Every structure is written in C-alpha cells, then in structure tokens.
C-alpha cells in the first residue's frame, strides 16, 4: 500500500475546515504568488509551490519544479490528500501556517480545498537549507575589497549564512556566488551582512539578506533550493 493510500481521507470529500482563529481574520491575508512549502501531516516534504488564485477556502498550488512528486505518483483527481502548507508573508515578515486538502490538476498544478489559516508565527524565513558548499564573495570597494573563498552554511529564499576567514562588518554588501547543484547554473546573489558571529579559532560567520531580487530571481533561487533539498532527502543515510 502506497503512502497516499495510507494518508488519504475516506470518503474522498474532506470534512469542513475548522473555524479560522479570530486573530488571523484581519491582520493576515493569503495572497497570490506567496511561496509555500507543502508537507504531509507527518512532516514529509512534498513540493514547493507558488500559491495562486486564493479564494475564501480554495487556492491553486503551482509547483516550482515540473518533476513528478514521488510520494504523490498514485494520486488521482477524485482523491484529496490532507496537507500542511507553510508560507511566508513578505510584508509582515511572518510565517503563515495553513492546512487543506490537495488534488491534482494538469501541468503540475494542485487544487487546494478547505484551506484555512491555522496560525501565524514570527518564525524566520522558511525554505532554509543546511549546506556545506564552497562559495565565493566579491566585494568591490571599501574594507576587505576583492574576491575571497567562503563556505555556504545555509540558504533560504531571503538570505544565507556564510563562513569566511575574511573580516566583514555589519552593513557590508557583496556578491555571493555558489553552485547549489552540480547540474545547475551558479547562483549569484547581492547580499548585505546583518549579523556577524565571531568564534574562537574558527572562521567568521555572517548572516546575510539578499538585496534587489526580482520575482524571477526569487523563483530561481527557490527552485534550486527545493531541488537541492530533495536531493539531500533522497541521499542514502
């Protein structure tokens, strides 16, 4: 019996959603183009998507990757799978936790029914992938100008943490170049240092946010992060 068969609700029509928490009714909205992460109820990653066409209790999820989702290969249009959906509200800078039931549509689009906001949190930006990859920093002026190697420790759609022997300061800006996957193009992000962590007998660690990213840049980074995340989850332990 496949995962979907074990998780799907019977009958196929899901029950009505719980009422929305009162605190979420005014100050948080689910909007088109919100980047979301979709997982099963027990926390297994399914896919990353762009939430589109939100209505009162429905929406569409457009996958960033056109690859088939292994856990959902047996899913049919008549069945609805209960899922957790986590988005990040760019304006409020808060994580939005939603629940609903998904069923497949053509072209790697999923219909969400019985969608509701479960809670809103002050969590940091999601899609954060832990890594240990070679990268480089290019700073064009001021202190520590030049090209220097570094290590990418983690990355999200909004920023990254890097380790470097080179000294930088809060507010410094530079280009960060890294190849998240061997078969993908090198990602180049314009960054600003928000946090400096000094460790004894260890490289400096820098928490950085990305600057001047348009929607296409953010979509590309999100897709690369998701592809790298899937690869890391499927790697043998």
């Amino acid at each position: 019996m496949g995962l979907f068969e074990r998780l799907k609700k019977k009958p196929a029509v899901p029950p009505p959603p719980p009422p929305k928490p009162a605190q979420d009714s005014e100050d948080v909205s689910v909007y088109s183009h919100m980047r979301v992460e979709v997982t099963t109820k027990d926390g297994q990653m399914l896919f990353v998507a762009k939430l589109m066409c939100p209505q009162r209790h429905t929406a569409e999820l457009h996958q960033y990757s056109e690859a088939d989702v292994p856990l959902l290969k047996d899913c049919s249009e008549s069945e609805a799978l209960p899922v957790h959906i986590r988005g990040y509200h760019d304006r409020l800078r808060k994580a939005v936790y939603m629940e609903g039931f998904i069923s497949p549509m053509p072209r790697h689009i999923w219909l969400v029914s019985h969608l509701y906001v479960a809670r809103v949190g002050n969590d940091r930006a999601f899609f954060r992938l832990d890594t240990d990859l070679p990268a480089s920093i290019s700073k064009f002026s001021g202190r520590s100008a030049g090209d220097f190697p570094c290590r990418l420790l983690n990355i999200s759609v909004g920023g990254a943490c890097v380790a470097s022997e080179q000294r930088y300061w809060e507010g410094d800006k530079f280009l960060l170049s890294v190849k998240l996957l061997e078969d993908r193009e090198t990602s180049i992000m314009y960054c600003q240092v928000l946090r400096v962590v000094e460790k004894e007998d260890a490289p400096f660690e820098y928490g950085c946010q990305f600057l001047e990213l348009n929607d296409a840049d953010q979509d590309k980074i999100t897709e690369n992060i998701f592809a790298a995340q899937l690869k890391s989850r499927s790697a043998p332990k």
Side-chain angles (χ1 to χ4, degrees), residues 67-81:
D68 291 332
V69 182
L71 296 179
L72 296 177
K73 284 191 297 186
D74 298 329
C75 184
S76 71
E77 294 184 11
S78 63
E79 299 167 329
L81 177 71

Side-chain angles (χ1 to χ4, degrees), residues 134-200:
S136 64
I137 289 173
S138 300
K139 191 170 184 291
F140 301 108
S141 61
R143 298 172 293 183
S144 300
D147 299 329
F148 299 97
C150 66
R151 303 292 298 183
L152 179 71
L153 302 182
N154 62 57
I155 184 171
S156 75
V157 72
C161 181
V162 299
S164 174
E165 299 285 353
Q166 194 66 26
R167 183 68 163 98
Y168 300 101
W169 289 263
E170 289 185 19
D172 279 358
K173 298 177 182 179
F174 51 69
L175 289 180
L176 174 66
S177 302
V178 64
K179 181 171 284 193
L180 293 174
L181 290 168
E182 286 299 323
D183 59 349
R184 301 279 176 126
E185 295 180 359
T186 297
S187 296
I188 302 175
M189 290 79 67
Y190 186 41
C191 303
Q192 182 174 31
V193 177
L194 296 183
R195 184 181 67 260
V196 179
V197 179
E198 298 186 37
K199 295 186 176 182
E200 188 174 352

Side-chain angles (χ1 to χ4, degrees), residues 2-9 37-48 61 69-73 75 80-86 97-102 110 226 233:
L3 173 70
F4 185 83
E5 291 297 324
R6 297 198 303 269
L7 294 177
K8 70 182 181 181
K9 294 286 186 180
E37 181 181 66
V38 183
T39 62
T40 63
K41 289 287 188 174
D42 60 358
Q44 294 187 69
M45 165 70 76
L46 295 177
F47 56 87
V48 174
L61 298 175
V69 182
L71 296 179
L72 296 177
K73 284 191 297 186
C75 184
L81 177 71
V83 293
H84 290 299
I85 304 170
R86 183 168 71 157
Y97 294 85
M98 297 163 273
E99 296 186 20
F101 292 76
I102 63 171
W110 298 81
F226 179 55
R233 286 173 179 265

